[in-house]
Amino acid sequence: DPLGYALVFGNNFVTAANLVSLKRASQMIDLDAFSLFYYISLLSLPIVTLLATATGELPFAVEAVRGREDLRSLAFIAALSLSAASAFLVNFFTNLCTQVTSALTTSITGQSKNILQTFLGFFTWGYKGGALNLFGLTLALCASTGFAVIKYLESESSRRQPSTPDRVGQVTAESERILRKLSSMEEEEESTTSSSTSSPTRPLLSPSKNS
């Protein structure tokens, strides 16, 4: 379906732009992940409310809660609360992962989560996918795993190698040691020269006595 693919690509574009904006905002503003998530939710709440009202979803939800008794039961309220809590945790950890690592790492991590959810749905909900679906999921899983392995190897290599300040400190210490050695050599040479100059010279021939 071309419309479905277009909506998926649009969603991917908006998600990538959101992650990049989060990373830039965390670099420009000195806020932790929780404070940044709070302000994002505060700013997006009027927009979501306006869209829900314009599309008719908000009035439909209110009428459904008023007309159906099961939507006011404790079981539904508990399930809705758990769903809201899980959505909060997913968005919070998404912001935290973006702030700590990068937008690309968060995108790959979220893709891995979606792949595992899809594989779990095959066995849980009885979804029957074709060979093309399985090939795409397997390819995405292999790519995500390869990205994780590359990032792990990069982090291990960066830990083994000294950082730039450490290298600068090593070069500075080596330079100071060489300068001290040269200074001590110059002092020894000066002391040797001064001692040789101050000591009296013996005549080569003894003075002859007058007969």
Side-chain angles (χ1 to χ4, degrees), residues 91-160:
N91 288 294
F92 171 72
F93 283 112
T94 299
N95 294 341
L96 181 61
C97 182
T98 305
Q99 189 175 18
V100 174
T101 58
S102 64
L104 179 60
T105 303
T106 304
S107 178
I108 297 298
T109 304
Q111 185 66 24
S112 303
K113 174 184 66 65
N114 295 334
I115 294 170
L116 295 177
Q117 286 180 347
T118 305
F119 274 117
L120 185 62
F122 285 158
F123 304 99
T124 305
W125 303 102
Y127 176 76
K128 296 181 180 179
L132 186 60
N133 291 335
L134 292 176
F135 173 74
L137 290 173
T138 305
L139 182 63
L141 184 60
C142 293
S144 302
T145 305
F147 177 81
V149 171
I150 292 173
K151 283 295 182 181
Y152 176 76
L153 294 177
E154 288 180 355
S155 63
E156 287 295 323
S157 62
S158 63
R159 288 178 182 177
R160 294 175 182 175

Side-chain angles (χ1 to χ4, degrees), residues 8 25 31 38-39 53 55 57 63 65-66 69 106 119 121 135 137 140 150 162 187 189 191 202:
V8 169
L31 292 175
Y38 170 76
Y39 285 112
T53 304
T55 55
E57 292 185 3
E63 291 296 330
V65 172
R66 290 179 179 178
E69 188 69 25
T106 304
F119 274 117
F135 173 74
L137 290 173
I150 292 173
E187 290 177 357
E189 185 177 356
S191 62
R202 291 184 176 181

Side-chain angles (χ1 to χ4, degrees), residues 44-58:
S44 61
L45 182 60
I47 300 175
V48 173
T49 304
L50 182 62
L51 290 176
T53 304
T55 55
E57 292 185 3
L58 184 60

Side-chain angles (χ1 to χ4, degrees), residues 187-205:
E187 290 177 357
E188 290 178 358
E189 185 177 356
E190 289 178 357
S191 62
T192 304
T193 306
S194 60
S195 62
S196 62
T197 305
S198 60
S199 61
T201 59
R202 291 184 176 181
L204 296 177
L205 297 175

Side-chain angles (χ1 to χ4, degrees), residues 15-82:
T15 303
N18 180 39
L19 295 177
V20 173
S21 301
L22 285 175
K23 186 63 178 180
R24 290 186 177 180
S26 63
Q27 293 175 351
M28 296 172 60
I29 305 174
D30 189 11
L31 292 175
D32 55 356
F34 185 80
S35 300
L36 187 62
F37 178 58
Y38 170 76
Y39 285 112
I40 290 174
S41 302
L42 189 64
L43 293 174
S44 61
L45 182 60
I47 300 175
V48 173
T49 304
L50 182 62
L51 290 176
T53 304
T55 55
E57 292 185 3
L58 184 60
F60 177 77
V62 172
E63 291 296 330
V65 172
R66 290 179 179 178
R68 296 177 57 179
E69 188 69 25
D70 55 345
L71 296 181
R72 298 193 298 271
S73 62
L74 293 177
F76 177 77
I77 293 174
L80 182 62
S81 300
L82 290 175

